[in-house]
Amino acid sequence: MAVAREGETESSQFAPTLPNTNDPSSDASNTKGFSQTLQSFADREKVQHSLFSQTLQTPVASENERRRDWVLNVPEPPGLLSNLKISFKKTVLCPLVNKLQCLGKQPLPALISILIVIFPPLSWCKEYNVTKFKRDILAGLTLASLCIPQSIGYATLAKLDPQYGLYTSVIPPLIYSMMGSSREIAIGPVAVVSLLLPSMIQKFEDPTANPIAYRKLVLTVTFFAGTFQAAFGLLRLGFVIDFLSHAAIVGFMAGAACVIGLQQLKSLLGISNFTNKTDIISVLTSICKSMHTLNPFSFIIGSSFVIFILSTKYYLARKYKKLFWLAAMAPLLSVILSTLIVFLTRADKHGVKIVKHVTGGLNPSSLHELQFNSPHTAQVAKIGLIVALVALT
């Protein structure tokens, strides 16, 4: 058969030639040929073994060479500008190009998907029902009861009129409710930023001597802060927070809470002459020097409602689960009750400071109050960048 012949032919290449015993004259030549055949077979086995060894050693050698080259010639990491370009291309350009292509092929579905991206409530409004609406009403009332006194306090920290705190607690949540994607996030002013603004801006304008110029600089700073934060969002720079450790963030929040608490001692103790500095040593020194001007009525009223808020939050709400609403409404109840007590006892005639007049109505446009031609514009832009980073943190 052909197969058997092929096998015989292939095996005959490696099989030694046997000597012909019928021909005595060819013994020497056959012996020589037999030794040559054995030698060629051994040489061929050595060559194949060498090739097989090289094949096994080549990946290890190449891997070791690649690792040595990488250690000796470390590639340079991409710079910040290249990272920004890559991030902007992935998050802005590519989705925009895809949306435009889909808009050209299927206009209506593409337009609906674009609107859902801009206005996320369109994606879940179909599943909205009366039960969820009732819960949202309760949550809105709870947050409103907290935001009203809290926003007035933030405006006081920023050395602004109280209505500006109310403005910032109404307009941003309305915008975010239509364009936001998170159900839990709170939008509005924070205590750290409210305390940071006067500590940095009063170097240029005194809020007591020239409140109008001070207010204009604050509005300009907030404009720059909003612009920087919008840029952070477009460029997807949220990864910057990944470089902050959890310990650093916790320490920052704890330090900010201490500073804010010390600043509130001015109102709690009714001290009139108080330092504008925020460090602990300056604040404690100012308190010790002004103890003779302490107002006992302010201290009694303030301490009473601090105890009331803490007791409802950490005792009543935990012991009696049905009174959870009391802990949520405690700040608003404190404002209402303290207002009635001050009004009935005429405590403002005895040195207790009150908010006085609050301008009513919706907030007017402040575009005409932005100061872009001020000699402090560069410093104001730097403050806006710092405020944006602190708010992001």
Side-chain angles (χ1 to χ4, degrees):
M1 295 176 67
V3 177
R5 290 175 182 175
E6 290 177 359
E8 292 175 358
T9 305
E10 292 177 358
S11 61
S12 62
Q13 295 177 0
F14 300 96
T17 304
L18 297 176
N20 189 359
T21 56
N22 297 327
D23 190 2
S25 60
S26 62
D27 290 342
S29 61
N30 289 336
T31 303
K32 184 177 181 181
F34 181 73
S35 61
Q36 290 178 353
T37 303
L38 290 177
Q39 184 66 30
S40 62
F41 180 76
D43 294 340
R44 193 172 299 167
E45 288 293 330
K46 289 181 180 179
V47 171
Q48 290 180 355
H49 180 72
S50 177
L51 292 175
F52 181 72
S53 300
Q54 292 178 1
T55 304
L56 292 177
Q57 294 177 1
T58 298
V60 179
S62 60
E63 182 67 23
N64 292 334
E65 292 177 358
R66 192 183 304 113
R67 187 177 301 173
R68 184 177 64 253
D69 293 339
W70 187 86
V71 173
L72 296 177
N73 302 318
V74 180
E76 294 184 0
L80 179 61
L81 185 59
S82 60
N83 284 332
L84 291 178
K85 290 181 179 179
I86 295 172
S87 178
F88 183 77
K89 184 178 180 181
K90 288 182 178 180
T91 58
V92 179
L93 292 182
C94 293
L96 182 61
V97 171
N98 294 333
K99 294 293 183 183
L100 291 177
Q101 291 177 354
C102 294
L103 191 62
K105 296 178 181 179
Q106 298 177 347
L108 185 59
L111 181 61
I112 293 175
S113 64
I114 292 174
L115 291 177
I116 290 176
V117 172
I118 299 176
F119 303 103
L122 295 176
S123 61
W124 51 259
C125 63
K126 297 179 180 179
E127 302 176 357
Y128 201 69
N129 52 35
V130 179
T131 304
K132 293 181 179 179
F133 179 73
K134 292 179 180 179
R135 294 175 179 175
D136 287 342
I137 289 292
L138 180 60
L141 291 175
T142 304
L143 290 178
S145 66
L146 177 64
C147 285
I148 292 174
Q150 189 180 52
S151 300
I152 295 176
Y154 287 159
T156 304
L157 282 178
K159 299 186 183 301
L160 294 172
D161 295 333
Q163 64 267 19
Y164 288 98
L166 297 176
Y167 294 158
T168 56
S169 64
V170 175
I171 303 301
L174 288 177
I175 297 175
Y176 190 82
S177 64
M178 298 303 299
M179 305 184 69
S181 58
S182 176
R183 297 175 56 188
E184 291 82 12
I185 193 171
I187 302 298
V190 292
V192 178
V193 174
S194 301
L195 188 63
L196 184 64
L197 287 174
S199 65
M200 301 183 72
I201 298 178
Q202 65 184 2
K203 299 177 182 178
F204 311 113
E205 293 291 346
D206 189 356
T208 304
N210 196 352
I212 297 177
Y214 173 79
R215 184 183 69 239
K216 291 181 179 180
L217 286 182
V218 170
L219 294 175
T220 308
V221 168
T222 55
F223 174 80
F224 280 115
T227 303
F228 285 124
Q229 285 193 331
F232 295 161
L234 290 176
L235 298 176
R236 296 297 190 271
L237 295 182
F239 68 89
V240 176
I241 301 301
D242 296 337
F243 296 100
L244 295 177
S245 65
H246 179 70
I249 296 177
V250 171
F252 172 79
M253 297 303 296
C258 293
V259 171
I260 294 168
L262 291 174
Q263 288 293 316
Q264 293 302 305
L265 290 177
K266 172 186 177 181
S267 301
L268 181 63
L269 301 176
I271 298 175
S272 56
N273 297 324
F274 201 73
T275 180
N276 292 326
K277 298 180 180 180
T278 57
D279 59 283
I280 296 177
I281 296 177
S282 300
V283 171
L284 294 179
T285 303
S286 179
I287 292 174
C288 294
K289 292 181 178 180
S290 304
M291 286 300 293
H292 63 281
T293 62
L294 184 145
N295 190 311
F297 299 102
S298 298
F299 178 72
I300 293 172
I301 295 174
S303 300
S304 301
F305 284 103
V306 167
I307 295 173
F308 170 69
I309 292 175
L310 294 178
S311 61
T312 54
K313 181 178 181 180
Y314 294 104
Y315 179 73
L316 292 178
R318 294 182 178 180
K319 187 174 182 179
Y320 305 100
K321 300 297 183 181
K322 294 182 179 180
L323 295 179
F324 72 95
W325 58 271
L326 184 60
M329 299 288 290
L332 184 60
L333 291 176
S334 299
V335 173
I336 296 174
L337 293 177
S338 61
T339 302
L340 290 175
I341 291 174
V342 171
F343 176 76
L344 295 176
T345 60
R346 299 296 178 182
D348 56 322
K349 304 295 183 181
H350 300 281
V352 177
K353 294 184 180 181
I354 59 177
V355 178
K356 295 182 180 179
H357 179 69
V358 178
T359 304
L362 296 176
N363 57 318
S365 175
S366 57
L367 290 175
H368 61 282
E369 297 190 13
L370 299 179
Q371 301 291 312
F372 296 115
N373 297 325
S374 172
H376 309 298
T377 303
Q379 290 82 357
V380 166
K382 293 179 181 178
I383 297 173
L385 178 59
I386 294 173
V387 169
L389 291 175
V390 170
L392 181 64
T393 305

